[in-house]
Amino acid sequence: MSIYIDPEVAVSLRGYEVPERLGFGTAMAPVMFRAVCQDGCWSQGELIPYAPLTIDPAAKVLHYAQSCFEGMKAYRTAAGSIALFRPEKNAARMAYSAKRLCMPSVPESLFLDGVRTVAAYCANLVPGNRGESLYLRPFLIGTQADLTVSASTSYEFYVIASPSEAYHTGNMRLWVEREDARAAVGGTGDAKVGGNYAGSLLSVGRLKERGYDQSLWLNPADRSRVDELSGMNFFAVIEGKLHTPALSGSILEGITRNSLLKLARELGYDLVEGAIHIDTLLSQIASGVCTEAFACGTAAIISPISVIGDEMHCHELYQAPGPVAKALREALLDIQEGRAEDNFGWMQPVDPVNF
């Protein structure tokens, strides 16, 4: 199905200036992609000027949280071209998230058309400094306007974009969240839905007052094992081996996590996907058995962790960033930004549309 390009798109793009200081997700690109699903049938996709949405106050998304989203990036390579990083993985994960919320899957072809079209028309907005990118946010919402507790029959799919720096630069201080639970096995913890993030905000507010940056969530079944951060997966180097929690039903399967595991194997690291018991981990940090830890995700890529603390402990990791985090970050960025051979077939070129 062809994509409709609104004539005002060119006007919006010509009048847009990329701000000198990017931040993360604060400077929005002047165009967006939109498609509508009614009773299971998808409309033609369209590229239109970025603008506020018109939505009925009784829309299901506002009352029953029928909303899922993705986070992904378009990179400017060393050769000056534009490429997307593993977009088919984002399409598959959004389909999984939509199914969990009883929403129709966005067809892969429509999803990819949306992100490619936005990236192509925003090619001149993709920053070129190391670690910067055009951050893409596809999202799907239920728009049927009634208050019955039931799945919507109408949906809207959007892709918006933002020229951005990395989400978090520098080292991170983590607070072990022993009081609240972000998600539950059998719930929505392994889907990328807005409610998961809303459920993390109270914890974040508390830890900020203590001088920490992010919550380290524990498995809700027994509150003894590490799950993940609010929006990032967790890794630790213990006795020279790279450890990460095994996917458990309450952990989001991160695309950056998956990519780092593949890269780590190629670079020769010993990998352990299994349970990381929090009290054992804190003891290993105190004794020096755990030499470094880091978080990973699309927005931040890799964020070194310098401190993990709770009411009883405050343990410092002196290698932040450590050699493993630095090596993996460089290896991944080199592929994403076109300085190294893409042996995995992860990067998908985008032909820019110029004005």
Side-chain angles (χ1 to χ4, degrees), residues 100 177 179-193 195-200 217-223 225 227-230 248-252:
R100 181 62 185 83
E177 181 52 73
E179 183 177 349
D180 292 341
R182 168 189 163 272
V185 176
T188 59
D190 61 349
K192 198 167 180 67
V193 302
N196 292 349
Y197 296 81
S200 73
W217 295 95
L218 304 180
N219 187 279
D222 56 20
R223 307 289 180 87
R225 291 166 287 140
D227 259 9
E228 60 180 343
L229 282 67
S230 297
S248 63
S250 58
I251 298 175
L252 185 69

Side-chain angles (χ1 to χ4, degrees), residues 107-329:
E108 184 182 76
S109 59
L110 180 62
F111 182 99
L112 295 177
D113 281 347
V115 296
R116 286 174 180 151
T117 300
V118 172
Y121 277 80
C122 294
N124 289 337
L125 311 185
V126 181
N129 294 326
R130 188 166 178 78
E132 296 179 347
S133 62
L134 181 71
Y135 182 78
L136 298 162
R137 171 57 63 87
F139 63 97
L140 177 66
I141 58 175
T143 56
Q144 182 184 343
D146 70 56
L147 300 180
T148 60
V149 184
S150 59
S152 179
T153 58
S154 61
Y155 298 86
E156 294 184 8
F157 169 64
Y158 291 90
V159 181
I160 58 176
S162 174
S164 293
E165 301 169 357
Y167 176 70
H168 189 283
T169 56
N171 297 332
M172 298 179 69
R173 296 168 56 87
L174 301 190
W175 178 263
V176 180
E177 181 52 73
R178 296 183 183 271
E179 183 177 349
D180 292 341
R182 168 189 163 272
V185 176
T188 59
D190 61 349
K192 198 167 180 67
V193 302
N196 292 349
Y197 296 81
S200 73
L201 298 180
L202 181 62
S203 174
V204 172
R206 290 196 299 255
L207 67 87
K208 292 286 186 183
E209 295 175 354
R210 298 179 170 109
Y212 288 80
D213 300 308
Q214 291 282 327
S215 308
L216 182 61
W217 295 95
L218 304 180
N219 187 279
D222 56 20
R223 307 289 180 87
S224 71
R225 291 166 287 140
V226 172
D227 259 9
E228 60 180 343
L229 282 67
S230 297
M232 305 171 74
N233 293 118
F234 179 83
F235 282 85
V237 179
I238 302 170
E239 295 183 323
K241 296 181 180 181
L242 185 59
H243 290 247
T244 193
L247 300 176
S248 63
S250 58
I251 298 175
L252 185 69
E253 186 174 1
I255 293 167
T256 303
R257 173 190 183 276
N258 177 275
S259 304
L260 290 178
L261 289 173
K262 293 179 183 295
L263 272 176
R265 290 188 184 94
E266 186 177 75
L267 294 174
Y269 292 107
D270 290 330
L271 300 179
V272 179
E273 290 185 74
I276 299 178
H277 291 272
I278 183 60
D279 292 332
T280 302
L281 175 66
L282 293 176
S283 296
Q284 290 170 328
I285 294 172
S287 67
V289 172
C290 175
T291 53
E292 60 176 295
F294 59 89
C296 72
T298 295
I301 310 169
I302 285 179
S303 291
I305 296 164
S306 58
V307 171
I308 301 179
D310 61 10
E311 296 285 2
M312 302 294 294
H313 309 90
C314 181
H315 292 313
E316 186 170 351
L317 288 138
Y318 295 100
Q319 294 190 83
V324 177
K326 287 191 286 189
L328 288 174
R329 185 178 190 275

